[in-house]
Amino acid sequence: MTDATTDTRADQPFSPTLRRAISVVMIGASRSFLDTTIVNVAVHSLAGDLHAGLNSVQWVVTAYLLALAAVIPATGWAARRFGAARLYVAALIVFTIGSVLCASSTSLGMLIAARAVQGIGGGAIMPVGTIIWTAHAAKSQMGKVIAFLAIPIILAPALGPVLGGLLIQGVGWQTIFWFNVPTGVLGIVLALRLLPMEKGSVAERFDVLGLVLASLGIVGITYGLAELGIAGGLNAAALVGLAVGCVALVGFVAHALNSRHPLLDVRLYRSGAFTAASIATFALGAANYGGMILMPLYLQTVRGEDVIIAGLLVAPTAIGALLSAPFTDRWGAGITSFAVAAVLAAATIPFLFLTASTSYWLLCVVMVVRGIGFGLSILPTMTAAYQALRPEQIPDATPQLNVLQRVGGAIGTAVLAVVLTGQLRHQTTPAGKADGFATTFWWVLGITFIATIPTILLAYIEHRARRRTHRSRLEEATDIGH
């Protein structure tokens, strides 16, 4: 019998097995999420050292996010087939090997390919880690465990740029990847020593066609949008990418609707609440991860700051994220999701008026507010999606929501980097470059507004459900009184 079935008291202490699982999973989760942001501060250095434009270097960030998204849907099947702990160790090994390849890269193409390898390992770490700890946790302990595992997610926006700045300034950009090797080896050793290496079981046939179609659709559309921005219009590369991506995604949906064991259950989107939460998750991923790449570049390109100062000036984002922690589950998921989008939109408005001399104090305050929005956006939209589903549907919903968040981040990063490149192309003065960043933040604001629309629906659905529950209780009380 697992720990999850032994007791459901709210004050139940963590079992030794659960504590070990959380410790090991946190090591992997911290590496996966930190590498999502640590490269942001290195983009400027990479462009110079590898003699490439920003629109090309952004694929170092985008390739990692796309690989994360591509591998997540396969993790549930692979964990059942090979065993969760074994797959977790394999993911850490692939992530560490990918980090070595990144550090050893001598060209932009090699680095992008190595980041994709790194992302394949990183994408499996968190979903498989979740499978591991949930097997040993009671329902009453879920909130506490999630609070622990949210720590690396919340701290990543601050520690990533700061740590990246220190390593780049001290040695070189390669060190941000070499840094993963000792921590990766430590995670592998601890996982082998502390986690029970249970064997896998017979699983349903893997949906290879579904994975190929979904991955081709995601990559095709992301590449097409990036090429669209680079060319300033529809060229052959953009047309081919968008066409291939759209056809692949349509094919994937048709295949999933007719498959007995589809890679992802698209029938979940029959629920209006789940669909709204999914759109919000995608758009918030684009606004959050895409927006994160802009400020370090502004500080280095316009203000002339080095990577350490740029990282420190971005750090207030994490302060806001930490301040938001007590409020993540205080209100309903729908209302909180709407508040998240509103806060992110409000925190983006000051960036629309960036100049070459905007007060650093103002920027820090705004980034604290933006950090509050980031911290609050981690769970509510997913919670709202889960509330719209039956319990047996949640395992199918989890990878889809994770994929949407990562793909949103990948597309947001690609599009915003391309927009920024176009804005800076003919700017030679700090004032002109600052105007280019301000214009790009208009796109961030637009993406955030898109995210706000479905959160209004979520808040309305939640309000209606509460009224229905309240009315039912009143009717029950009236019947009892009679």
Side-chain angles (χ1 to χ4, degrees):
M1 183 178 294
T2 65
D3 300 324
T5 61
T6 58
D7 195 356
T8 58
R9 293 177 301 161
D11 59 348
Q12 178 187 359
F14 289 176
S15 68
T17 305
L18 179 57
R19 287 198 297 269
R20 290 194 293 269
I22 293 173
S23 300
V24 174
V25 171
M26 281 191 68
I27 292 176
S30 65
R31 303 310 318 137
S32 176
F33 280 101
L34 194 62
D35 260 62
T36 304
T37 59
I38 195 171
V39 177
N40 288 347
V41 77
V43 169
H44 187 264
S45 299
L46 289 170
D49 290 353
L50 298 177
H51 307 291
L54 175 61
N55 56 303
S56 299
V57 172
Q58 61 86 16
W59 281 100
V60 175
V61 178
T62 303
Y64 181 77
L65 292 172
L66 285 176
L68 284 173
V71 76
I72 287 173
T75 53
W77 177 89
R80 292 190 297 273
R81 177 66 180 82
F82 302 106
R86 293 183 177 187
L87 183 60
Y88 184 79
V89 172
L92 281 174
I93 291 173
V94 172
F95 180 83
T96 304
I97 292 174
S99 299
V100 173
L101 294 175
C102 287
S104 305
S105 297
T106 56
S107 68
L108 181 61
M110 288 178 61
L111 180 57
I112 292 173
R115 281 284 281 175
V117 173
Q118 193 186 36
I120 291 173
I125 287 173
M126 195 60 187
V128 178
T130 300
I131 294 172
I132 291 172
W133 69 255
T134 51
H136 305 289
K139 286 185 177 180
S140 60
Q141 297 173 318
M142 295 294 184
K144 292 182 180 179
V145 177
I146 290 175
F148 276 109
L149 295 176
I151 293 174
I153 304 175
I154 291 174
L155 293 181
L159 293 182
V162 174
L163 181 60
L166 289 170
L167 293 174
I168 294 168
Q169 188 76 8
V171 183
W173 61 263
Q174 293 87 349
T175 53
I176 65 178
F177 300 113
W178 285 122
F179 178 74
N180 290 326
V181 177
T183 53
V185 171
L186 175 64
I188 294 167
V189 172
L190 290 179
L192 291 171
R193 290 180 60 87
L194 300 179
L195 297 179
M197 294 292 148
E198 299 175 353
K199 294 183 179 180
S201 58
V202 177
E204 69 276 5
R205 185 176 180 181
F206 182 62
D207 186 10
V208 177
L209 178 59
L211 180 62
V212 171
L213 288 173
S215 300
L216 188 60
I218 292 169
V219 174
I221 289 178
T222 305
Y223 174 79
L225 289 173
E227 286 296 320
L228 190 67
I230 293 171
L234 194 63
N235 63 359
L239 183 61
V240 170
L242 291 173
V244 170
C246 290
V247 170
L249 286 183
V250 170
F252 169 76
V253 172
H255 168 74
L257 289 173
N258 292 282
S259 175
R260 291 183 60 187
H261 301 290
L263 181 71
L264 299 173
D265 185 5
V266 296
R267 295 179 181 86
L268 297 178
Y269 294 95
R270 291 172 178 171
S271 165
F274 181 80
T275 300
S278 298
I279 295 172
T281 298
F282 176 86
L284 286 173
N288 276 321
Y289 289 105
M292 283 180 191
I293 198 175
L294 296 179
M295 190 48 59
L297 286 171
Y298 163 79
L299 293 168
Q300 294 174 77
T301 304
V302 179
R303 308 300 288 267
E305 302 292 355
D306 60 36
V307 287
I308 296 179
I309 299 300
L312 290 172
L313 288 172
V314 174
T317 303
I319 297 175
L322 291 173
L323 290 174
S324 72
F327 305 100
T328 53
D329 59 355
R330 179 165 298 187
W331 303 291
I335 294 174
T336 304
S337 297
F338 173 72
V340 165
V343 168
L344 286 174
T348 303
I349 291 174
F351 293 146
L352 306 181
F353 306 98
L354 281 176
T355 68
S357 58
T358 300
S359 167
Y360 281 166
W361 285 106
L362 174 61
L363 292 178
C364 288
V365 170
V366 173
M367 281 188 281
V368 169
V369 177
R370 189 170 179 81
I372 292 174
F374 175 81
L376 288 173
S377 71
I378 295 171
L379 296 177
T381 51
M382 288 190 178
T383 302
Y386 293 151
Q387 290 173 345
L389 303 174
R390 299 188 303 274
E392 65 269 19
Q393 294 176 309
I394 291 179
D396 286 318
T398 300
Q400 298 193 48
L401 293 170
N402 278 280
V403 167
L404 285 169
Q405 184 187 58
R406 302 297 183 153
V407 172
I411 291 179
T413 300
V415 170
L416 292 176
V418 168
V419 171
L420 180 61
T421 299
Q423 293 296 320
L424 300 182
R425 187 167 292 148
H426 303 295
Q427 301 293 345
T428 57
T429 65
K433 293 177 181 179
D435 286 340
F437 277 92
T439 301
T440 306
F441 270 107
W442 276 101
W443 285 70
V444 178
L445 184 63
I447 295 170
T448 309
F449 277 143
I450 293 173
T452 304
I453 296 172
T455 63
I456 295 173
L457 176 60
L458 291 176
Y460 171 73
I461 292 173
E462 188 174 79
H463 175 69
R464 189 175 58 182
R466 286 182 175 178
R467 288 186 61 184
R468 190 162 50 242
T469 301
H470 180 66
R471 187 162 50 247
S472 299
R473 289 176 178 174
L474 286 177
E475 291 174 354
E476 290 176 2
T478 301
D479 292 340
I480 294 174
H482 290 160

